[in-house]
Short mmCIF file of all heavy atoms in Angstrom, two decimals:
data_model
loop_
_atom_site.label_atom_id
_atom_site.label_comp_id
_atom_site.label_asym_id
_atom_site.label_seq_id
_atom_site.Cartn_x
_atom_site.Cartn_y
_atom_site.Cartn_z
N GLU A 232 5.36 -15.09 -13.66
CA GLU A 232 5.91 -15.15 -15.02
C GLU A 232 7.03 -16.19 -15.10
O GLU A 232 7.11 -16.95 -16.08
CB GLU A 232 6.42 -13.77 -15.42
CG GLU A 232 6.96 -13.71 -16.85
CD GLU A 232 7.44 -12.33 -17.24
OE1 GLU A 232 7.13 -11.36 -16.50
OE2 GLU A 232 8.13 -12.21 -18.26
N TYR A 233 7.88 -16.23 -14.08
CA TYR A 233 8.99 -17.19 -14.07
C TYR A 233 8.48 -18.62 -13.94
O TYR A 233 9.03 -19.54 -14.55
CB TYR A 233 9.93 -16.89 -12.89
CG TYR A 233 10.69 -15.59 -13.00
CD1 TYR A 233 10.27 -14.47 -12.29
CD2 TYR A 233 11.84 -15.49 -13.77
CE1 TYR A 233 10.97 -13.28 -12.35
CE2 TYR A 233 12.55 -14.31 -13.84
CZ TYR A 233 12.11 -13.20 -13.14
OH TYR A 233 12.81 -12.02 -13.21
N VAL A 234 7.44 -18.80 -13.15
CA VAL A 234 6.85 -20.13 -12.99
C VAL A 234 6.22 -20.58 -14.30
O VAL A 234 6.41 -21.72 -14.75
CB VAL A 234 5.81 -20.14 -11.84
CG1 VAL A 234 5.09 -21.49 -11.79
CG2 VAL A 234 6.51 -19.87 -10.51
N ASN A 235 5.48 -19.70 -14.93
CA ASN A 235 4.81 -20.04 -16.18
C ASN A 235 5.79 -20.31 -17.31
O ASN A 235 5.52 -21.12 -18.20
CB ASN A 235 3.85 -18.92 -16.60
CG ASN A 235 2.65 -18.80 -15.68
OD1 ASN A 235 2.30 -19.75 -14.98
ND2 ASN A 235 2.01 -17.64 -15.66
N SER A 236 6.94 -19.63 -17.27
CA SER A 236 7.94 -19.82 -18.33
C SER A 236 8.82 -21.05 -18.08
O SER A 236 9.62 -21.43 -18.95
CB SER A 236 8.83 -18.58 -18.44
OG SER A 236 9.61 -18.41 -17.26
N GLY A 237 8.71 -21.64 -16.89
CA GLY A 237 9.51 -22.82 -16.58
C GLY A 237 10.85 -22.54 -15.96
O GLY A 237 11.68 -23.45 -15.81
N ASP A 238 11.11 -21.27 -15.58
CA ASP A 238 12.40 -20.94 -14.96
C ASP A 238 12.40 -21.30 -13.47
O ASP A 238 13.43 -21.70 -12.93
CB ASP A 238 12.68 -19.45 -15.10
CG ASP A 238 12.96 -19.06 -16.56
OD1 ASP A 238 13.80 -19.72 -17.19
OD2 ASP A 238 12.34 -18.10 -17.03
N PHE A 239 11.27 -21.13 -12.81
CA PHE A 239 11.16 -21.41 -11.37
C PHE A 239 10.13 -22.49 -11.11
O PHE A 239 9.19 -22.68 -11.88
CB PHE A 239 10.75 -20.15 -10.60
CG PHE A 239 11.77 -19.04 -10.57
CD1 PHE A 239 11.38 -17.75 -10.21
CD2 PHE A 239 13.10 -19.26 -10.89
CE1 PHE A 239 12.30 -16.72 -10.17
CE2 PHE A 239 14.02 -18.24 -10.86
CZ PHE A 239 13.63 -16.96 -10.51
N ARG A 240 10.32 -23.17 -9.98
CA ARG A 240 9.32 -24.10 -9.47
C ARG A 240 8.82 -23.55 -8.13
O ARG A 240 9.62 -23.23 -7.25
CB ARG A 240 9.92 -25.49 -9.26
CG ARG A 240 8.92 -26.50 -8.67
CD ARG A 240 9.57 -27.83 -8.32
NE ARG A 240 10.24 -28.41 -9.47
CZ ARG A 240 11.56 -28.56 -9.57
NH1 ARG A 240 12.34 -28.20 -8.56
NH2 ARG A 240 12.10 -29.05 -10.65
N MET A 241 7.50 -23.42 -7.99
CA MET A 241 6.95 -22.97 -6.72
C MET A 241 6.62 -24.20 -5.89
O MET A 241 5.79 -25.02 -6.27
CB MET A 241 5.71 -22.09 -6.93
CG MET A 241 5.21 -21.44 -5.64
SD MET A 241 3.91 -20.20 -5.91
CE MET A 241 4.86 -18.91 -6.73
N LEU A 242 7.29 -24.30 -4.74
CA LEU A 242 7.12 -25.48 -3.89
C LEU A 242 5.80 -25.44 -3.13
O LEU A 242 5.20 -26.49 -2.88
CB LEU A 242 8.29 -25.57 -2.89
CG LEU A 242 9.70 -25.59 -3.50
CD1 LEU A 242 10.74 -25.63 -2.38
CD2 LEU A 242 9.87 -26.77 -4.45
N ALA A 243 5.40 -24.25 -2.72
CA ALA A 243 4.16 -24.11 -1.96
C ALA A 243 3.74 -22.66 -1.95
O ALA A 243 4.58 -21.75 -2.03
CB ALA A 243 4.33 -24.60 -0.52
N VAL A 244 2.46 -22.43 -1.87
CA VAL A 244 1.94 -21.09 -1.64
C VAL A 244 1.63 -20.99 -0.15
O VAL A 244 1.11 -21.93 0.46
CB VAL A 244 0.68 -20.81 -2.50
CG1 VAL A 244 -0.44 -21.79 -2.18
CG2 VAL A 244 0.21 -19.38 -2.30
N VAL A 245 2.04 -19.88 0.47
CA VAL A 245 1.88 -19.73 1.91
C VAL A 245 0.44 -19.29 2.19
O VAL A 245 0.13 -18.11 2.39
CB VAL A 245 2.90 -18.73 2.48
CG1 VAL A 245 2.76 -18.64 4.00
CG2 VAL A 245 4.32 -19.16 2.11
N ASN A 246 -0.42 -20.28 2.18
CA ASN A 246 -1.84 -20.05 2.39
C ASN A 246 -2.45 -21.36 2.87
O ASN A 246 -1.79 -22.42 2.84
CB ASN A 246 -2.50 -19.59 1.09
CG ASN A 246 -3.87 -18.96 1.31
OD1 ASN A 246 -4.12 -18.34 2.34
ND2 ASN A 246 -4.77 -19.14 0.37
N ASN A 247 -3.69 -21.29 3.32
CA ASN A 247 -4.33 -22.52 3.77
C ASN A 247 -5.17 -23.20 2.71
O ASN A 247 -5.88 -24.16 2.98
CB ASN A 247 -5.17 -22.26 5.03
CG ASN A 247 -6.01 -21.00 4.90
OD1 ASN A 247 -6.33 -20.58 3.80
ND2 ASN A 247 -6.35 -20.40 6.02
N GLU A 248 -5.08 -22.69 1.49
CA GLU A 248 -5.72 -23.33 0.33
C GLU A 248 -5.00 -22.89 -0.93
O GLU A 248 -4.29 -21.89 -0.93
CB GLU A 248 -7.21 -22.99 0.27
CG GLU A 248 -7.51 -21.51 0.16
CD GLU A 248 -9.00 -21.23 0.19
OE1 GLU A 248 -9.78 -22.13 0.53
OE2 GLU A 248 -9.39 -20.09 -0.14
N SER A 249 -5.19 -23.64 -2.00
CA SER A 249 -4.54 -23.28 -3.26
C SER A 249 -5.19 -22.02 -3.82
O SER A 249 -6.29 -21.63 -3.40
CB SER A 249 -4.65 -24.43 -4.27
OG SER A 249 -6.02 -24.74 -4.50
N ILE A 250 -4.52 -21.38 -4.78
CA ILE A 250 -5.06 -20.16 -5.37
C ILE A 250 -5.35 -20.39 -6.84
O ILE A 250 -4.73 -21.24 -7.50
CB ILE A 250 -4.09 -18.97 -5.19
CG1 ILE A 250 -2.74 -19.25 -5.84
CG2 ILE A 250 -3.90 -18.67 -3.71
CD1 ILE A 250 -1.79 -18.07 -5.79
N SER A 251 -6.31 -19.64 -7.36
CA SER A 251 -6.82 -19.90 -8.72
C SER A 251 -5.78 -19.68 -9.81
O SER A 251 -5.81 -20.36 -10.84
CB SER A 251 -8.03 -19.00 -8.98
OG SER A 251 -7.69 -17.62 -8.86
N SER A 252 -4.84 -18.74 -9.61
CA SER A 252 -3.86 -18.47 -10.67
C SER A 252 -2.81 -19.57 -10.80
O SER A 252 -2.21 -19.72 -11.86
CB SER A 252 -3.18 -17.13 -10.43
OG SER A 252 -2.48 -17.14 -9.21
N LEU A 253 -2.58 -20.34 -9.72
CA LEU A 253 -1.62 -21.45 -9.75
C LEU A 253 -2.25 -22.65 -9.03
O LEU A 253 -1.81 -23.04 -7.95
CB LEU A 253 -0.30 -21.05 -9.09
CG LEU A 253 0.57 -20.03 -9.84
CD1 LEU A 253 1.73 -19.58 -8.97
CD2 LEU A 253 1.08 -20.60 -11.16
N PRO A 254 -3.28 -23.21 -9.61
CA PRO A 254 -4.04 -24.27 -8.92
C PRO A 254 -3.25 -25.54 -8.63
O PRO A 254 -3.62 -26.31 -7.74
CB PRO A 254 -5.20 -24.55 -9.87
CG PRO A 254 -4.70 -24.11 -11.22
CD PRO A 254 -3.81 -22.95 -10.96
N ASP A 255 -2.14 -25.76 -9.36
CA ASP A 255 -1.36 -26.98 -9.17
C ASP A 255 -0.32 -26.85 -8.05
O ASP A 255 0.33 -27.84 -7.69
CB ASP A 255 -0.65 -27.36 -10.47
CG ASP A 255 -1.64 -27.73 -11.58
OD1 ASP A 255 -2.74 -28.22 -11.24
OD2 ASP A 255 -1.32 -27.51 -12.77
N VAL A 256 -0.14 -25.64 -7.53
CA VAL A 256 0.81 -25.43 -6.44
C VAL A 256 0.10 -25.70 -5.12
O VAL A 256 -0.92 -25.09 -4.82
CB VAL A 256 1.37 -24.00 -6.45
CG1 VAL A 256 2.31 -23.79 -5.27
CG2 VAL A 256 2.09 -23.72 -7.77
N PRO A 257 0.63 -26.61 -4.30
CA PRO A 257 -0.07 -26.95 -3.05
C PRO A 257 0.05 -25.85 -2.01
O PRO A 257 1.06 -25.13 -1.94
CB PRO A 257 0.67 -28.21 -2.58
CG PRO A 257 2.04 -28.07 -3.15
CD PRO A 257 1.86 -27.40 -4.48
N PRO A 258 -0.97 -25.67 -1.17
CA PRO A 258 -0.84 -24.77 -0.03
C PRO A 258 0.13 -25.37 0.98
O PRO A 258 0.23 -26.60 1.10
CB PRO A 258 -2.26 -24.69 0.52
CG PRO A 258 -2.88 -25.99 0.13
CD PRO A 258 -2.29 -26.34 -1.21
N ILE A 259 0.85 -24.54 1.71
CA ILE A 259 1.86 -25.06 2.64
C ILE A 259 1.23 -25.91 3.74
O ILE A 259 1.87 -26.82 4.28
CB ILE A 259 2.68 -23.89 3.23
CG1 ILE A 259 3.96 -24.43 3.88
CG2 ILE A 259 1.84 -23.05 4.19
CD1 ILE A 259 4.98 -23.36 4.21
N THR A 260 -0.02 -25.65 4.05
CA THR A 260 -0.68 -26.41 5.11
C THR A 260 -1.00 -27.85 4.71
O THR A 260 -1.31 -28.68 5.56
CB THR A 260 -1.99 -25.72 5.54
OG1 THR A 260 -2.77 -25.44 4.37
CG2 THR A 260 -1.71 -24.44 6.29
N GLU A 261 -0.90 -28.14 3.42
CA GLU A 261 -1.12 -29.52 2.98
C GLU A 261 -0.05 -30.43 3.56
O GLU A 261 -0.32 -31.57 3.95
CB GLU A 261 -1.11 -29.58 1.45
CG GLU A 261 -1.46 -30.94 0.86
CD GLU A 261 -1.56 -30.90 -0.65
OE1 GLU A 261 -2.47 -30.21 -1.16
OE2 GLU A 261 -0.71 -31.53 -1.33
N ALA A 262 1.19 -29.92 3.60
CA ALA A 262 2.29 -30.70 4.18
C ALA A 262 2.48 -30.38 5.65
O ALA A 262 2.85 -31.26 6.44
CB ALA A 262 3.58 -30.42 3.41
N TYR A 263 2.24 -29.13 6.03
CA TYR A 263 2.51 -28.69 7.40
C TYR A 263 1.31 -27.91 7.94
O TYR A 263 1.32 -26.66 7.97
CB TYR A 263 3.79 -27.83 7.43
CG TYR A 263 4.99 -28.57 6.90
CD1 TYR A 263 5.51 -28.27 5.64
CD2 TYR A 263 5.57 -29.61 7.63
CE1 TYR A 263 6.61 -28.98 5.13
CE2 TYR A 263 6.66 -30.31 7.13
CZ TYR A 263 7.17 -30.00 5.88
OH TYR A 263 8.24 -30.70 5.38
N PRO A 264 0.29 -28.61 8.40
CA PRO A 264 -0.92 -27.94 8.88
C PRO A 264 -0.67 -27.02 10.08
O PRO A 264 -1.46 -26.11 10.33
CB PRO A 264 -1.84 -29.11 9.26
CG PRO A 264 -0.96 -30.30 9.37
CD PRO A 264 0.17 -30.08 8.43
N GLU A 265 0.44 -27.23 10.81
CA GLU A 265 0.72 -26.39 11.98
C GLU A 265 0.96 -24.93 11.60
O GLU A 265 0.80 -24.02 12.43
CB GLU A 265 1.92 -26.93 12.76
CG GLU A 265 3.21 -27.08 11.96
CD GLU A 265 3.40 -28.48 11.36
OE1 GLU A 265 2.42 -28.99 10.79
OE2 GLU A 265 4.53 -29.01 11.44
N ILE A 266 1.35 -24.68 10.34
CA ILE A 266 1.57 -23.29 9.91
C ILE A 266 0.24 -22.56 9.72
O ILE A 266 0.20 -21.33 9.67
CB ILE A 266 2.44 -23.27 8.63
CG1 ILE A 266 3.87 -23.70 9.01
CG2 ILE A 266 2.46 -21.91 7.97
CD1 ILE A 266 4.85 -23.73 7.88
N GLY A 267 -0.83 -23.31 9.69
CA GLY A 267 -2.15 -22.71 9.54
C GLY A 267 -2.50 -21.72 10.64
O GLY A 267 -3.37 -20.86 10.44
N LYS A 268 -1.83 -21.78 11.78
CA LYS A 268 -2.11 -20.86 12.88
C LYS A 268 -1.81 -19.42 12.50
O LYS A 268 -2.35 -18.48 13.11
CB LYS A 268 -1.30 -21.25 14.11
CG LYS A 268 0.20 -21.13 13.94
CD LYS A 268 0.97 -21.69 15.12
CE LYS A 268 0.89 -20.79 16.32
NZ LYS A 268 1.79 -21.25 17.41
N TYR A 269 -0.93 -19.21 11.48
CA TYR A 269 -0.57 -17.86 11.06
C TYR A 269 -1.43 -17.35 9.90
O TYR A 269 -1.27 -16.20 9.48
CB TYR A 269 0.89 -17.83 10.62
CG TYR A 269 1.86 -18.27 11.67
CD1 TYR A 269 2.63 -19.42 11.50
CD2 TYR A 269 2.04 -17.54 12.85
CE1 TYR A 269 3.54 -19.84 12.46
CE2 TYR A 269 2.94 -17.95 13.82
CZ TYR A 269 3.70 -19.10 13.62
OH TYR A 269 4.59 -19.50 14.58
N LEU A 270 -2.25 -18.22 9.37
CA LEU A 270 -2.96 -17.90 8.13
C LEU A 270 -4.43 -17.61 8.38
O LEU A 270 -5.00 -18.11 9.36
CB LEU A 270 -2.79 -19.07 7.15
CG LEU A 270 -1.34 -19.50 6.90
CD1 LEU A 270 -1.30 -20.73 6.02
CD2 LEU A 270 -0.54 -18.36 6.26
N PRO A 271 -5.10 -16.82 7.52
CA PRO A 271 -4.55 -16.20 6.31
C PRO A 271 -3.63 -15.03 6.63
O PRO A 271 -3.89 -14.27 7.56
CB PRO A 271 -5.79 -15.73 5.56
CG PRO A 271 -6.78 -15.48 6.64
CD PRO A 271 -6.52 -16.50 7.70
N TRP A 272 -2.57 -14.94 5.91
CA TRP A 272 -1.61 -13.86 6.04
C TRP A 272 -1.00 -13.64 4.66
O TRP A 272 -0.83 -14.59 3.88
CB TRP A 272 -0.50 -14.19 7.02
CG TRP A 272 0.63 -13.17 7.00
CD1 TRP A 272 0.70 -12.04 7.73
CD2 TRP A 272 1.79 -13.20 6.17
NE1 TRP A 272 1.85 -11.36 7.42
CE2 TRP A 272 2.53 -12.04 6.46
CE3 TRP A 272 2.27 -14.08 5.20
CZ2 TRP A 272 3.73 -11.74 5.82
CZ3 TRP A 272 3.46 -13.78 4.56
CH2 TRP A 272 4.19 -12.62 4.88
N GLY A 273 -0.65 -12.42 4.38
CA GLY A 273 0.02 -12.16 3.12
C GLY A 273 0.42 -10.71 2.98
O GLY A 273 -0.06 -9.84 3.72
N PRO A 274 1.27 -10.45 2.04
CA PRO A 274 1.67 -9.08 1.76
C PRO A 274 0.52 -8.31 1.13
O PRO A 274 -0.44 -8.90 0.64
CB PRO A 274 2.83 -9.24 0.78
CG PRO A 274 2.56 -10.54 0.10
CD PRO A 274 1.92 -11.42 1.14
N PHE A 275 0.62 -7.01 1.14
CA PHE A 275 -0.40 -6.21 0.48
C PHE A 275 0.26 -5.06 -0.28
O PHE A 275 1.41 -4.70 -0.02
CB PHE A 275 -1.43 -5.67 1.49
CG PHE A 275 -0.86 -4.74 2.54
CD1 PHE A 275 -0.64 -3.40 2.28
CD2 PHE A 275 -0.58 -5.22 3.81
CE1 PHE A 275 -0.13 -2.55 3.25
CE2 PHE A 275 -0.07 -4.38 4.80
CZ PHE A 275 0.16 -3.04 4.51
N GLN A 276 -0.47 -4.52 -1.21
CA GLN A 276 -0.02 -3.36 -1.96
C GLN A 276 -1.00 -2.21 -1.69
O GLN A 276 -2.22 -2.41 -1.76
CB GLN A 276 0.06 -3.64 -3.47
CG GLN A 276 1.34 -4.36 -3.89
CD GLN A 276 1.41 -5.78 -3.36
OE1 GLN A 276 0.42 -6.53 -3.45
NE2 GLN A 276 2.54 -6.18 -2.82
N ALA A 277 -0.47 -1.04 -1.39
CA ALA A 277 -1.32 0.08 -1.02
C ALA A 277 -0.65 1.41 -1.36
O ALA A 277 0.54 1.45 -1.68
CB ALA A 277 -1.65 0.03 0.48
N ILE A 278 -1.44 2.46 -1.31
CA ILE A 278 -0.94 3.82 -1.53
C ILE A 278 -1.18 4.62 -0.26
O ILE A 278 -2.28 4.59 0.30
CB ILE A 278 -1.66 4.50 -2.72
CG1 ILE A 278 -1.51 3.64 -3.99
CG2 ILE A 278 -1.09 5.89 -2.96
CD1 ILE A 278 -2.32 4.15 -5.16
N PHE A 279 -0.14 5.32 0.19
CA PHE A 279 -0.24 6.10 1.41
C PHE A 279 0.16 7.55 1.16
O PHE A 279 0.98 7.84 0.29
CB PHE A 279 0.69 5.53 2.49
CG PHE A 279 0.28 4.18 2.99
CD1 PHE A 279 0.71 3.02 2.34
CD2 PHE A 279 -0.53 4.04 4.11
CE1 PHE A 279 0.33 1.77 2.80
CE2 PHE A 279 -0.90 2.79 4.58
CZ PHE A 279 -0.47 1.65 3.92
#
Side-chain angles (χ1 to χ4, degrees):
E232 183 179 347
Y233 293 101
V234 173
N235 291 338
S236 66
D238 291 310
F239 292 163
R240 178 187 304 113
M241 188 171 291
L242 304 178
V244 60
V245 183
N246 196 32
N247 45 24
E248 60 184 12
S249 59
I250 59 175
S251 59
S252 61
L253 290 171
D255 296 331
V256 177
I259 195 167
T260 51
E261 185 175 295
Y263 302 106
E265 57 267 45
I266 289 180
K268 64 187 287 187
Y269 302 115
L270 307 175
W272 171 88
F275 62 82
Q276 278 68 46
I278 303 173
F279 293 87

